[in-house]
Amino acid sequence: MIATLHSWARRNLFANLIDSILSILIVTALGWLLTVFLRWVIWDAYWQRIYESLRLFLVGQFPADQTWRAWVALALLCTAVGAVLLPWSRRLGVAIWLIACGAAVFVLVPPGLDRWGGLLLSIMLTVVVSTASLPLGILLAFGRSSRNPSLRACCTGYIEVMRSVPLILVVYWIWITVPLFMPEVSISSLARGMIGYTVFNAAYVAEYVRSGLQAVPRGQREAARSLGMSNWTISTEIVLPQALRVVQPALVGNVLDVFNGATLVFIIGLMDFLRAGQLILVDPAASSQTNEVYLFMFAVYFVIGSAITFGSRRMEAHMHRSTR
Amino acid sequence: MIEAKTKLWRSSLATPSVKRYVARVRYKLTHGAVVAAVIGLLILIALAIHQNLTSRGIDFSFAYLSAPSRFGISEGLAPVWTGWAPIFESVDATSSNLGMLEAGLFNTLKVALLAITFSTLVGVALGVLRLSTNWLVRNLAFAIGEFIRNTPILIQLMFWYFAVLLQLPSSGSATKVSKWLVVEQSGVFLPLPHLSDSAGPASGFFVAVAIAFLAAACLRRFPARWRIALLGVGLCAIGASYALGFGINLDWPVLGRFGATGGLHFTPEMSAILITIIVNSAGYISEIVRGGIEGLAKGQWEAAAALGLSRGDTIRDIVLPQVFRIIIPSLTNRYISLTKDTAIGIAIGFPELFNVSGTVANQSGRDFETVIVVMTIYLLLSWLISALANFVNRRIALERA
């Protein structure tokens, strides 16, 4: 044990003079930083502030007597994620995902879309936008790789325009212009934000799906045609499932992008997780707890982000194993 | 028998031709339907815009761009054309709306160009560190990249602005980190190089000559003897220009009672967004570089080792030159996203293009026109970056044998 540890250190920390000096320097610096940091975290930091504002962080202005709805939605979302992760029939998993996510939205709607906030808003926005932009993205991807030149031009133009403008601009302008087009219907800010974000994200999903479509060997299409299948059947039953399987890790990575981009909805006045933290800091009583609030938010974002990245990497590794 | 065969042959010809005819008709129908649908949608949107504008009593025009803006922004220069060369001047409430948008674009470009340069440097360094022989260095670089990529860029911006830059000592007790760098609440100050007063046009001419000759001396296509001669001429030109009074002075930041003055001043907003985008993009670029290095054939490393090159020399002379050629498309995508990321400057009040356009639209009530202008500018920026990258890529791409 000691011997292996010793040889490991010889190889990885003290291979040559420069490595040895670097190792010693880094260990000293990291040790000092960690001591200072831990001492602050344990003794000096005022975590009471986070504890007191936890409600605002997690659900924002959601009515207190309706909190059970948030718990039910959380349970439903866990079911949805579980259903997709379990290695049973893909179709069943997707069906359960759709039903559970729909039910979660349904459960949360009664207090009003304007009352959603905090982490609840960030997560629900991510779920709705990633789910809604998948079918739209698939349609756009097929359109862009279609043989019909007018359809191809339209889809290519849409994708290229959406991919070259910032998300914040799309969300903001759709939020502004939707009421101008439909003055008689009032649509809540959140719904408009979701529409804008979906419209934007669909272009990215389309590019991932298209790369998957290109990865499906030509022979698959030709074999299906020689069996007498129609174009529709070939696309939906032969090409698409294989394409989606290839781009699955990239699509999960896109969910992380959606989650990270969801912070930008502050521009249309929604209070997501990050905005909730800033609102807490606006309160003069909390202004000296800047570090605590930012550390907490970074930690939450990092844990959720790492979980999604981990899932995406596992999928990729699994795919490489199974296709070998 | 023969007749039957002929019949079979005929029928087998007839069916595909009918099929082909049907297919052609269907193809034209879908073609027409798509075109009609798009035109219909555009007309519908145009009608809705028209109706909306007439109900507000205004018509669709871009004339508002030349009207005075009646608002100010904290920083940003707009080009003023006097003759053939633009002069950059700061904008104020009397400037036109177009001038405001130009100042916003100026800020966006300023941040984007600086961020592209520095995030590439930092990102490549971080990517190479991930292949260090030292376990600690390797994993530290990995952890930093992972942390950056798994948290939203907006919270990073908020952190740098509110938790770092605005928590710095205020002007009265500014911190002087060194002679070179002053950091305080009102921003970051660096020394600014500028021409000495005694520099005249003649010395400027010699400087240009020196630069041209020294650049030529760096080109490998000339034989070594030529290059030495070019180097000599270049050095002589430098001497001549120095004798004629050319010099570069540094304008040092000076600590005063009310904060630092002089030198190159970055406002806290500018500093925050620049730091955020550089650090964030460096995280992504390090991943791109690492992927490129790992995608390189193992034989390259082995061949370099067989030739007796050290690890550092191998990375610098063998690996990185090839990796850069592989990763140019990914880097281009990163540069485009980075340019779009500058739009989050609105969260801290940095007057970049998106922020300014929002104010222009609010002040003038011209939402549709402004969104068209701004989207066009962002589109052109993206196309410009990818066109440049394609040009570079075509020049240096490895030929696949």
Side-chain angles (χ1 to χ4, degrees):
Chain A
M1 178 66 199
I2 300 283
T4 47
L5 202 67
H6 184 248
S7 74
W8 179 88
R10 264 309 268 284
R11 236 178 315 116
N12 291 301
L13 298 180
F14 304 104
N16 53 41
L17 185 67
I18 298 175
D19 270 2
S20 312
I21 296 172
L22 269 179
S23 297
I24 292 168
L25 278 181
I26 292 177
V27 166
T28 323
L30 272 187
W32 179 75
L33 272 177
L34 264 184
T35 327
V36 172
F37 178 72
L38 284 180
R39 192 183 289 163
W40 177 78
V41 166
I42 295 169
W43 302 110
D44 301 339
Y46 185 71
W47 293 114
Q48 190 69 22
R49 177 72 58 207
I50 303 292
Y51 183 72
E52 283 164 5
S53 5
L54 209 53
R55 227 198 114 64
L56 195 62
F57 267 124
L58 294 183
V59 294
Q61 307 286 345
F62 208 70
D65 55 335
Q66 306 277 323
T67 315
W68 61 270
R69 291 179 183 276
W71 288 112
V72 172
L74 182 69
L76 283 167
L77 287 185
C78 290
T79 320
V81 172
V84 179
L85 289 184
L86 280 181
W88 56 22
S89 148
R90 257 311 119 70
R91 266 159 216 262
L92 189 62
V94 171
I96 294 181
W97 169 274
L98 285 178
I99 293 170
C101 291
V105 173
F106 185 73
V107 166
L108 288 170
V109 161
L113 282 179
D114 299 330
R115 307 297 294 273
W116 292 15
L119 195 59
L120 171 80
L121 177 94
S122 302
I123 290 179
M124 287 311 290
L125 193 68
T126 310
V127 168
V128 171
V129 169
S130 340
T131 311
S133 45
L134 189 58
L136 208 56
I138 291 174
L139 285 181
L140 282 169
F142 272 119
R144 192 171 180 177
S145 44
S146 129
R147 275 179 304 154
N148 185 332
S150 53
L151 188 62
R152 198 169 56 221
C154 292
C155 292
T156 309
Y158 178 88
I159 292 172
E160 288 305 318
V161 168
M162 279 301 159
R163 279 165 52 87
S164 27
V165 295
L167 164 66
I168 196 166
L169 183 130
V170 176
V171 169
Y172 180 67
W173 288 107
I174 287 198
W175 178 71
I176 288 261
T177 47
V178 162
L180 298 181
F181 285 127
M182 292 181 278
E184 60 280 352
V185 220
S186 93
I187 306 176
S188 73
S189 286
L190 179 59
R192 279 184 269 162
M194 282 174 176
I195 294 170
Y197 205 165
T198 307
V199 159
F200 173 85
N201 193 49
Y204 285 78
V205 171
E207 283 299 89
Y208 288 125
V209 173
R210 195 169 69 99
S211 71
L213 292 180
Q214 285 170 348
V216 177
R218 265 180 82 88
Q220 295 286 327
R221 215 172 245 283
E222 287 161 1
R225 195 179 299 280
S226 71
L227 287 177
M229 290 185 177
S230 70
N231 271 336
W232 171 259
T233 322
I234 295 174
S235 297
T236 54
E237 302 287 327
I238 306 292
V239 178
L240 189 59
Q242 299 187 56
L244 285 184
R245 218 172 71 89
V246 176
V247 295
Q248 214 175 15
L251 288 177
V252 175
N254 181 253
V255 173
L256 175 61
D257 289 341
V258 174
F259 182 66
N260 282 347
T263 49
L264 297 178
V265 295
F266 79 89
I267 194 75
I268 56 174
L270 298 180
M271 196 182 69
D272 72 320
F273 185 63
L274 178 58
R275 191 87 192 129
Q278 285 177 281
L279 284 185
I280 290 163
L281 287 177
V282 165
D283 179 10
S287 59
S288 56
Q289 275 94 42
T290 315
N291 293 338
E292 286 89 336
V293 169
Y294 275 102
L295 183 64
F296 175 68
M297 289 196 292
F298 263 124
V300 171
Y301 273 121
F302 183 62
V303 166
I304 297 178
S306 303
I308 300 177
T309 310
F310 178 74
S312 165
R313 288 208 180 124
R314 273 283 297 271
M315 265 179 192
E316 203 159 7
H318 184 75
M319 211 173 65
H320 278 297
R321 262 207 315 279
S322 59
T323 51
R324 203 186 292 163
Chain B
M1 186 69 189
I2 291 172
E3 221 171 314
K5 219 176 189 177
T6 322
K7 217 174 178 183
L8 190 71
W9 174 75
R10 278 206 175 155
S11 70
S12 66
L13 187 75
T15 330
S17 90
V18 167
K19 252 190 181 167
R20 217 175 296 150
Y21 180 72
V22 170
R24 205 184 303 149
V25 167
R26 202 172 63 182
Y27 175 78
K28 285 197 169 156
L29 275 180
T30 48
H31 197 69
V34 170
V35 174
V38 169
I39 292 177
L41 193 68
L42 287 181
I43 290 177
L44 220 65
I45 291 177
L47 272 180
I49 291 176
H50 180 75
Q51 199 177 12
N52 180 268
L53 289 178
T54 43
S55 71
R56 285 193 289 160
I58 44 181
D59 54 348
F60 190 86
S61 97
F62 288 99
Y64 79 101
L65 284 175
S66 52
S69 59
R70 287 197 290 261
F71 68 93
I73 55 177
S74 57
E75 58 185 300
L77 305 173
V80 178
W81 293 88
T82 50
W84 54 274
I87 299 172
F88 285 92
E89 282 178 357
S90 55
V91 288
D92 55 25
T94 58
S95 313
S96 66
N97 281 319
L98 185 64
M100 282 296 168
L101 290 178
E102 282 168 353
L105 178 62
F106 175 85
N107 284 331
T108 294
L109 285 178
K110 189 168 69 173
V111 172
L113 288 178
L114 285 172
I116 284 176
T117 314
F118 288 102
S119 68
T120 309
L121 294 177
V122 180
V124 170
L126 213 58
V128 171
L129 286 183
R130 284 189 60 176
L131 297 167
S132 161
T133 48
N134 188 320
W135 183 88
L136 272 172
V137 174
R138 201 162 62 217
N139 281 287
L140 206 59
F142 172 72
I144 292 172
E146 200 70 350
F147 184 78
I148 290 168
R149 282 179 291 117
N150 283 348
T151 50
I153 187 170
L154 189 63
I155 189 179
Q156 296 174 16
L157 177 70
M158 294 296 166
F159 171 77
W160 286 113
Y161 186 63
F162 289 111
V164 177
L165 282 161
L166 290 192
Q167 304 290 323
L168 289 170
S170 59
S171 309
S173 56
T175 31
K176 191 171 184 173
V177 178
S178 71
K179 191 183 171 194
W180 292 84
L181 173 70
V182 175
V183 177
E184 59 172 35
Q185 216 175 54
S186 63
V188 176
F189 295 79
L190 289 169
L192 177 70
H194 67 96
L195 293 182
S196 60
D197 299 331
S198 56
S203 63
F205 170 74
F206 276 108
V207 170
V209 170
I211 291 174
F213 274 88
L214 291 179
C218 292
L219 291 178
R220 290 203 180 150
R221 71 174 59 159
F222 295 126
R225 207 177 288 167
W226 283 38
R227 289 170 66 187
I228 291 173
L230 288 169
L231 186 72
V233 176
L235 290 177
C236 288
I238 289 182
S241 70
Y242 186 74
L244 285 169
F246 183 86
I248 291 178
N249 291 357
L250 285 179
D251 187 7
W252 297 97
V254 184
L255 284 187
R257 199 153 171 206
F258 304 105
T261 46
L264 185 62
H265 177 206
F266 289 115
T267 59
E269 292 80 26
M270 168 85 187
S271 318
I273 193 156
L274 200 54
I275 295 171
T276 309
I277 294 188
I278 289 175
V279 171
N280 188 273
S281 281
Y284 286 92
I285 290 176
S286 76
E287 182 67 21
I288 294 173
V289 170
R290 186 201 58 89
I293 293 178
E294 289 191 346
L296 203 65
K298 274 252 154 44
Q300 298 284 336
W301 290 90
E302 288 160 2
L307 289 174
L309 289 180
S310 73
R311 198 180 160 85
D313 282 342
T314 310
I315 289 178
R316 203 189 59 212
D317 292 336
I318 310 286
V319 174
L320 281 186
Q322 299 186 63
V323 164
F324 273 121
R325 294 172 177 179
I326 304 173
I327 62 175
I328 281 182
S330 317
L331 276 185
T332 314
N333 279 340
R334 191 59 231 158
Y335 292 155
I336 293 176
S337 331
L338 172 161
T339 311
K340 293 190 294 169
D341 280 346
T342 56
I344 59 170
I346 193 173
I348 55 169
F350 179 69
E352 38 65 47
L353 181 60
F354 175 63
N355 190 354
V356 174
S357 77
T359 321
V360 167
N362 265 340
Q363 293 278 319
S364 60
R366 300 285 185 166
D367 295 314
F368 298 116
E369 292 92 334
T370 314
V371 72
I372 291 173
V373 171
V374 172
M375 275 186 121
T376 314
I377 294 177
Y378 275 113
L379 260 178
L380 290 179
L381 275 182
S382 298
W383 284 344
L384 188 70
I385 295 175
S386 35
L388 280 178
N390 276 340
F391 175 73
V392 173
N393 202 11
R394 230 176 297 130
R395 286 292 300 275
I396 69 167
L398 286 181
E399 277 165 33
R400 299 212 170 267

